[in-house]
């Protein structure tokens, strides 16, 4: 079977994390989120975490060399051989170039790049109301899922504490959107120019979006 080497692009809050989890479950390939790897490093107090924390809290990008090393090391693991879903990487053109080189070095098939498109006012609404569960890592929204700020996870069998990411506060959201426009949006042209990018609307609920996303994966080429 062809490799399923998927990259999800889109603004912060476009739903990359949610779609990546669903794709990973559906296709049986690992979900690789550089944001999750960095947040774990911060929580564990590692050297990487100490280096990344300030950038993350301010909503800035962590330097390319750090993130490229993390992502390329992870992609070289044997469980990524049948494919992977990259969520939040690459985020700059140098990261995309490094990813292309790593794919060549590892003798991997082409990337399938999916761009989740969501209007900016919707993005801000999603990010400011987003809450995460400390236990199951589920993602919820205070307006839509009946969850309360500071409450517990609404999933059956989970009573984890809900929290707001430090970079989902208004000043950090503004900074992240600015960083997205200046550094990550150019990737859309980078991949479109290579004929590997497909736009999918990220508006609606996750169950409505996963269908068109899976269609892209299954009909590629
Ligand atoms: P995310 O969970 O993908 O929104 O990432 C959260 C934060 O982690 C970002 O705002 C950045 O500070 C950092 N980060 C995650 N992935 C990358 C990346 N590919 N390049 C630079 N910084 C990243």
């Amino acid at each position: 079977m062809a490799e399923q080497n998927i990259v999800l692009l889109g603004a912060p809050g476009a739903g990359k994390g949610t779609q990546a989890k669903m794709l990973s479950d559906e296709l049986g390939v690992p979900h690789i989120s550089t944001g999750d790897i960095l947040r774990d490093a911060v929580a564990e107090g590692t050297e990487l975490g100490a280096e990344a924390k300030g950038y993350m809290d301010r909503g800035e990008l962590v330097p390319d060399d750090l993130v490229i090393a993390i992502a390329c090391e992870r992609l070289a693991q044997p469980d990524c051989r049948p494919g992977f879903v990259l969520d939040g990487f690459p985020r700059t053109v140098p990261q995309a170039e490094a990813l292309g080189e790593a794919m060549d070095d590892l003798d991997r098939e082409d990337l399938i790049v999916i761009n989740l498109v969501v209007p900016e006012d919707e993005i801000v609404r999603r990010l400011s109301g987003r809450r995460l569960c400390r236990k199951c890592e589920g993602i919820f929204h205070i307006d839509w899922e009946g969850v309360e700020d500071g409450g517990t996870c609404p999933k059956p069998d989970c009573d984890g504490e809900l929290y707001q990411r430090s970079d989902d506060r208004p000043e950090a959201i503004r900074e992240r959107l600015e960083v997205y426009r200046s550094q990550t949006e150019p990737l859309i042209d980078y991949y479109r120019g290579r004929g590997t990018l497909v736009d999918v609307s990220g508006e609606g609920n996750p169950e409505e979006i996963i269908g068109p996303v899976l269609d892209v994966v299954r009909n590629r080429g």
Side-chain angles (χ1 to χ4, degrees):
M1 201 173 75
E3 294 175 14
Q4 294 171 319
N5 303 329
I6 302 163
V7 171
L8 288 182
L9 292 185
K16 299 186 296 295
T18 304
Q19 292 302 313
K21 277 197 190 109
M22 293 169 91
L23 271 177
S24 162
D25 289 346
E26 184 70 28
L27 304 173
V29 297
H31 167 202
I32 302 173
S33 153
T34 42
D36 283 349
I37 295 172
L38 291 167
R39 272 186 293 280
D40 287 348
V42 171
E44 286 162 16
T46 65
E47 206 175 308
L48 167 68
E51 222 170 318
K53 187 174 186 315
Y55 296 103
M56 296 175 76
D57 284 347
R58 289 188 299 271
E60 295 168 11
L61 294 185
V62 172
D64 280 341
D65 52 351
L66 270 186
V67 187
I68 288 170
I70 296 171
C72 292
E73 190 184 308
R74 181 66 190 86
L75 288 176
Q77 304 290 313
D79 64 326
C80 291
R81 195 68 227 181
F84 49 78
V85 187
L86 269 177
D87 154 21
F89 181 91
R91 256 185 164 95
T92 64
V93 171
Q95 291 180 19
E97 288 167 348
L99 173 60
E101 281 167 28
M103 295 294 284
D104 287 345
D105 291 347
L106 294 166
D107 200 20
R108 304 291 307 252
E109 291 173 17
D110 289 346
L111 294 171
I112 305 163
V113 184
I114 298 173
N115 180 35
L116 289 174
V117 183
V118 178
E120 188 164 318
D121 53 348
E122 171 73 11
I123 292 281
V124 173
R125 208 150 63 92
R126 285 187 187 182
L127 289 176
S128 50
R130 181 161 74 173
R131 299 294 182 272
L132 278 72
C133 173
R134 284 196 200 281
K135 203 164 161 184
C136 72
E137 298 187 334
I139 305 169
F140 307 97
H141 194 283
I142 50 172
D143 292 342
W144 302 317
E145 273 140 333
V147 304
E148 279 176 38
D149 214 358
T152 53
C153 180
K155 266 197 190 158
D157 306 327
C158 183
D159 56 359
E161 182 198 353
L162 294 179
Y163 71 101
Q164 181 176 41
R165 279 173 45 167
S166 53
D167 58 354
D168 279 346
R169 297 178 200 283
E171 323 74 63
I173 291 176
R174 270 193 295 279
E175 175 65 22
R176 286 161 72 204
L177 287 174
E178 187 48 44
V179 165
Y180 171 74
R181 271 191 291 272
S182 61
Q183 302 195 55
T184 308
E185 240 173 17
L187 282 184
I188 294 173
D189 287 339
Y190 175 91
Y191 283 121
R192 210 186 291 287
R194 283 164 177 72
T196 46
L197 182 124
V198 182
D199 289 320
V200 172
S201 166
E203 283 189 272
N205 66 48
E207 289 71 27
E208 289 166 339
I209 299 161
I210 190 67
V213 168
L214 276 168
D215 287 345
V216 173
V217 175
R218 294 188 171 133
N219 302 329
R220 71 187 182 273

